[in-house]
Amino acid sequence: MGKGGEAQLLNKSSNLNSGKKSSSEKYTWTEVKKHITPEDAWVVHNNKVYDVSNWHEHPGGGVIFTHAGDDMTDIFAAFHAPGSHSLMKKFYIGDLIAESMTHKDAKQIAFEKGYRDLRSKLIMMGMFKSSKMYYLYKCLFNMGMWATAVAMVALSDSFTVHMASALLLGLFWQQCGWLAHDFLHHQVFTHRKYGDIVGIFWGDLMQGFSMQWWKNKHNGHHAVPNLHNSSAESQDGDPDMDTMPLLAWSLNQAHSFRELRADGKDSAFVKFMIKWQAFTYFPILLLARISWLNESFKTAFGLGASTENAKLEMERRGLQYPILEKVGIILHHSWVFALSSGFGKFSVPMTLAYFFTATCSSGLFLALVFGLGHNGMANYDAETRPDFWKLQVTTTRNIIGGHGVPQWFVDWLCGGLQYQVDHHLFPMMPRHNLPKTHVLIESFCKEWGVTYHEADLYDGTVEVLRHLSKVSDEFLVEMIKDFPAM
């Protein structure tokens, strides 16, 4: 419980003992915006103010601090089941003076009411109810891919077959990512523990990724996609944007490492990476899975954390399923080693070739899809973020068929994330209901004049590379201005 929450409970107890009625305080939006760090975090829900400072016991983890000093009404609805708001009562400290929110005019208020009404309509249509048979089919199909990859190694002596098995394994790991994603977003089961357990199976055991590492990182990303932190101490930025010094998605981000150096200048490594980032983008994606395996292992065994938010969560809360996570990670690396070694028949070079082919192809398959989902789209500073709907829509790109790639293949490859915009608006909606929802969302966006972007795999990739190149050009121009002798 946060400090403010504890204080409020004490105040209520004192008021009851003295026979006085508890009167709520009134706060301006300017006052709320001052409380933006985990140690001093206020959030707003339906014009009520809550002090969640130091509430590291939050069931969803540190994601709650991404909206410190901001309105969490819509992101709360996106992540929580009906009735969850009752847990927030103990943190209530007063009401927001609605008139103090000068950044919202009548049109904006009507727009927010409109998309909240759309959410209610989708609930009434049953769009948040999952088909257990659909997910059973997806799970069995995935296990079929895994069994085929294993059989290709066990029953063949052909190098070509073995390399094909490695590529199939990489694709299997990518598809495991989409299944773990669905279960851990609680799209399948209403009982969250069931989703967590199945998520550990597809995440830790089959894919090698820690469930808690993924939840912390991914939930934070959903809450604030493509946002830069408002300060070095705050945690209101997108962890998926934390790609420096390898990649920069805006000029401000390209400069973000200057504060870490005594001379306040860019290092030679940063200059090189930002200059050539449009060319190093795909090679970096090939190594993405290795980085994620490393972060997952550190999280599961308490050896470190990938972000300050994750570090705080681990220090204050620890692993939610410590034994299952550790066992899952160990078993994953055990079966991967056995398969990569050809169950003992491969040479060391062949073992390494199999492992890195599977691992690097998987990193590329995974990162290609979610990279297209957000990379190259709008970026915002946390303190100037737009409302929930516009934030999710303008920072996100849907993927469609095109350039000879049929829609059915895109649908299978992307595992529901071809509807990235729709998924970000309603993350707990099962993927098989997204096509129907997409029609309503697209219509709503057109009605209100909100940008809604779609691109095929080729055009989307070109957009990403052009964006990286644009940031590089801006970075080089400024560098030349700073050093005219060049």
Side-chain angles (χ1 to χ4, degrees):
M1 181 185 295
K3 293 179 291 186
E6 291 172 347
Q8 186 64 13
L9 286 178
L10 289 173
N11 287 340
K12 286 181 178 179
S13 177
S14 175
N15 288 336
L16 286 172
N17 291 335
S18 63
K20 294 179 181 178
K21 265 190 169 182
S22 174
S23 58
S24 62
E25 297 285 339
K26 301 289 184 182
Y27 299 102
T28 64
W29 183 246
T30 301
E31 176 62 26
V32 171
K33 295 295 289 182
K34 295 177 182 177
H35 305 271
I36 62 171
T37 65
E39 295 77 24
D40 182 20
W42 288 13
V43 294
V44 175
H45 184 277
N46 284 332
N47 289 339
K48 293 186 181 298
V49 183
Y50 301 86
D51 183 347
V52 294
S53 305
N54 284 322
W55 189 29
H56 299 279
E57 298 78 18
H58 172 239
V63 66
I64 192 167
F65 301 123
T66 62
H67 275 64
D70 206 7
D71 190 331
M72 69 165 189
T73 303
D74 296 298
I75 194 64
F76 186 93
F79 274 105
H80 297 82
S84 301
H85 180 252
S86 60
L87 294 174
M88 295 297 297
K89 290 180 180 178
K90 57 190 175 184
F91 300 108
Y92 171 70
I93 58 172
D95 295 330
L96 178 70
I97 301 173
E99 294 76 16
S100 68
M101 299 181 74
T102 55
H103 60 291
K104 289 187 179 184
D105 57 17
K107 182 178 178 181
Q108 176 62 28
I109 293 172
F111 174 64
E112 292 181 4
K113 181 181 183 302
Y115 65 67
R116 290 167 190 172
D117 288 344
L118 176 58
R119 177 181 179 81
S120 299
K121 179 180 178 180
L122 291 169
I123 293 173
M124 295 295 292
M125 291 172 61
M127 290 294 102
F128 289 87
K129 294 180 180 178
S130 67
S131 166
K132 304 301 186 291
M133 291 304 296
Y134 172 84
Y135 279 103
L136 176 61
Y137 155 71
K138 293 300 296 183
C139 290
L140 291 176
F141 188 93
N142 262 32
M143 289 309 298
M145 293 175 65
W146 178 79
T148 301
V150 171
M152 291 169 74
V153 169
L155 303 178
S156 175
D157 294 323
S158 166
F159 173 80
T160 302
V161 172
H162 294 159
M163 287 296 99
S165 168
L167 290 172
L168 180 59
L169 184 63
L171 199 54
F172 162 75
W173 280 331
Q174 187 234 33
Q175 292 294 309
C176 283
W178 309 150
L179 271 179
H181 170 271
D182 289 2
F183 282 102
L184 294 176
H185 264 304
H186 307 294
Q187 296 176 6
V188 185
F189 300 114
T190 54
H191 195 304
R192 297 201 166 204
K193 189 170 185 178
Y194 297 161
D196 288 344
I197 299 302
V198 181
I200 287 174
F201 175 83
W202 290 114
D204 295 69
L205 177 60
M206 302 311 294
Q207 201 183 12
F209 294 166
S210 161
M211 181 207 73
Q212 191 147 330
W213 162 81
W214 183 89
K215 269 193 172 184
N216 175 275
K217 186 173 184 287
H218 191 70
N219 288 347
H221 157 71
H222 258 274
V224 285
N226 285 17
L227 255 67
H228 299 292
N229 284 317
S230 57
S231 70
E233 295 79 24
S234 65
Q235 296 179 11
D236 49 4
D238 181 358
D240 281 2
M241 289 277 286
D242 186 17
T243 53
M244 279 290 287
L246 303 180
L247 298 168
W249 301 102
S250 69
L251 184 60
N252 285 341
Q253 188 180 17
H255 292 158
S256 62
F257 266 41
R258 291 179 175 179
E259 63 184 70
L260 303 179
R261 290 174 57 88
D263 60 4
K265 298 179 180 179
D266 300 307
S267 67
F269 181 75
V270 166
K271 291 176 183 177
F272 175 84
M273 293 305 299
I274 303 306
K275 178 180 179 180
W276 299 106
Q277 63 180 4
F279 298 94
T280 60
Y281 177 66
F282 278 107
I284 288 171
L285 295 189
L286 289 172
L287 302 176
R289 177 172 159 80
I290 296 174
S291 173
W292 299 328
L293 287 172
N294 175 57
E295 295 299 337
S296 293
F297 190 88
K298 290 194 301 183
T299 299
F301 290 91
L303 303 176
S306 56
T307 65
E308 282 301 312
N309 186 290
K311 180 181 177 182
L312 268 174
E313 182 175 300
M314 291 299 296
E315 289 175 350
R316 303 296 185 90
R317 190 179 173 206
L319 285 173
Q320 189 176 0
Y321 302 96
I323 296 176
L324 287 178
E325 290 241 45
K326 289 181 175 66
V327 170
I329 295 291
I330 290 172
L331 289 178
H332 169 80
H333 289 293
S334 298
W335 75 254
V336 169
F337 176 77
L339 180 58
S340 298
S341 65
F343 303 104
K345 66 183 180 183
F346 289 169
S347 64
V348 172
M350 181 60 191
T351 296
L352 293 174
Y354 185 96
F355 173 77
F356 281 106
T357 298
T359 298
C360 293
S361 65
S362 177
L364 180 63
F365 295 149
L366 274 167
L368 182 63
V369 173
F370 61 68
L372 284 180
H374 299 282
N375 294 345
M377 296 299 289
N379 296 301
Y380 298 99
D381 293 324
E383 65 269 20
T384 58
R385 73 181 82 175
D387 66 81
F388 169 78
W389 187 282
K390 291 174 185 172
L391 173 64
Q392 303 296 336
V393 174
T394 59
T395 60
T396 309
R397 176 194 293 109
N398 274 5
I399 308 172
I400 58 176
H403 281 89
V405 181
Q407 186 64 48
W408 66 263
F409 179 77
V410 171
D411 292 343
W412 179 82
L413 180 72
C414 298
L417 296 186
Q418 69 275 21
Y419 294 108
Q420 186 75 272
V421 176
D422 316 82
H423 166 64
H424 260 256
L425 291 169
F426 305 106
M428 293 177 66
M429 181 177 290
R431 74 167 90 161
H432 54 77
N433 288 333
L434 289 174
K436 293 179 182 178
T437 301
H438 170 76
V439 177
L440 295 175
I441 291 174
E442 189 173 29
S443 174
F444 182 84
C445 287
K446 287 179 180 177
E447 178 186 349
W448 287 92
V450 178
T451 303
Y452 190 102
H453 186 52
E454 297 180 327
D456 62 35
L457 289 168
Y458 176 81
D459 287 338
T461 300
V462 170
E463 289 174 8
V464 172
L465 295 178
R466 283 178 177 168
H467 181 84
L468 288 170
S469 182
K470 178 175 177 288
V471 174
S472 296
D473 291 344
E474 292 173 350
F475 181 78
L476 291 174
V477 167
E478 185 160 298
M479 192 166 69
I480 292 171
K481 288 180 179 177
D482 291 340
F483 301 97
M486 294 177 64

